[in-house]
Amino acid sequence: MSAFQNEVSPRYALDLLRWQFDLTWSLFEYHLDRLESDDFLWKPAANCWTVHRADDGTWVPDWADSEPDPVPVPTIGWLSWHIGWWWSVAIDHAHSRTPRERSDITWPGAGKPAVEWLRGLRADWLEALGRFTDADLDSPAPFPWQNDPQHTVAHMVAWVNAELMKNAAEIGQLRLQRASNHPQAIMNRLP
């Protein structure tokens, strides 16, 4: 039995999920509009995950196949790469494409390149959402549960919203923390 039978129609669920996505994105835009290039690689603690330039000029994220203990504090750069990774894979699944590997997702760099990349992923995701039929929404999710019949594509859409909300809050908190540590920089930006 699917998640929507005898409950809520898939189309109503998508409308509600789209509303939730738009709300989450509007809160994220508040921080995206205020991010500075230096925010991305600022390390809030000694134990951090970030992104590093490779010899070929590309950016490579810190990574471990099993979560370390203690968990490293991510930088905004790492978080923006992380969003790009999971969202690119979700978009690949939504378009029935072979999903890219983690190592195939390249962070474009700090500042405007990262912000524009995230905004481009938003546009790609909205296009995918607009193509979903009721049958699509009620079918087993290909990601992140690998075709578990208990989780539908509508669940995948809800997962994207939740993951984006979490990562946007993390980025916002880091931005605010860095700004509070550098109050003169804030004063210099005021009109």
Side-chain angles (χ1 to χ4, degrees):
M1 175 181 263
S2 79
F4 290 109
Q5 290 176 343
N6 300 321
E7 294 177 16
V8 177
S9 76
R11 187 55 40 188
Y12 173 78
L14 183 62
D15 290 345
L16 186 58
L17 290 166
R18 173 62 194 270
W19 175 86
Q20 184 185 47
F21 174 81
D22 290 340
L23 175 64
T24 300
W25 187 261
S26 70
L27 297 171
F28 195 24
E29 275 289 344
Y30 176 84
H31 296 292
L32 291 176
D33 285 343
R34 289 159 180 81
L35 283 171
E36 297 180 2
S37 291
D38 289 344
D39 292 335
F40 285 82
L41 299 179
W42 175 69
K43 293 182 177 182
N47 182 26
C48 280
W49 269 359
T50 191
V51 288
H52 307 275
R53 278 242 190 236
D55 291 340
D56 66 0
T58 60
W59 291 92
V60 179
D62 291 329
W63 187 259
D65 288 328
S66 59
E67 194 165 281
D69 184 18
V71 175
V73 177
T75 63
I76 291 173
W78 190 92
L79 286 165
S80 61
W81 163 80
H82 181 67
I83 293 169
W85 169 43
W86 63 254
W87 212 355
S88 294
V89 172
I91 291 166
D92 287 343
H93 282 287
H95 287 291
S96 300
R97 298 186 299 234
T98 301
R100 287 167 274 181
E101 297 295 324
R102 176 181 45 82
S103 59
D104 294 335
I105 307 300
T106 304
W107 188 65
K112 188 175 181 176
V115 171
E116 293 305 315
W117 181 47
L118 295 171
R119 288 178 175 146
L121 290 169
R122 174 187 177 265
D124 292 347
W125 183 246
L126 290 175
E127 192 274 324
L129 290 180
R131 292 184 322 112
F132 285 144
T133 65
D134 289 355
D136 292 334
L137 294 170
D138 210 22
S139 64
F143 179 77
W145 300 281
Q146 309 307 319
N147 296 311
D148 175 354
Q150 296 301 311
H151 293 96
T152 65
V153 169
H155 285 100
M156 180 180 76
V157 174
W159 176 85
V160 165
N161 287 352
E163 192 70 15
L164 181 62
M165 191 179 311
K166 175 184 73 74
N167 289 156
E170 291 169 321
I171 287 172
Q173 186 62 38
L174 285 167
R175 186 190 70 77
L176 291 170
Q177 184 180 356
R178 181 173 185 272
S180 72
N181 289 335
H182 300 88
Q184 188 57 43
I186 295 169
M187 295 306 294
N188 292 340
R189 285 184 274 158
L190 293 177

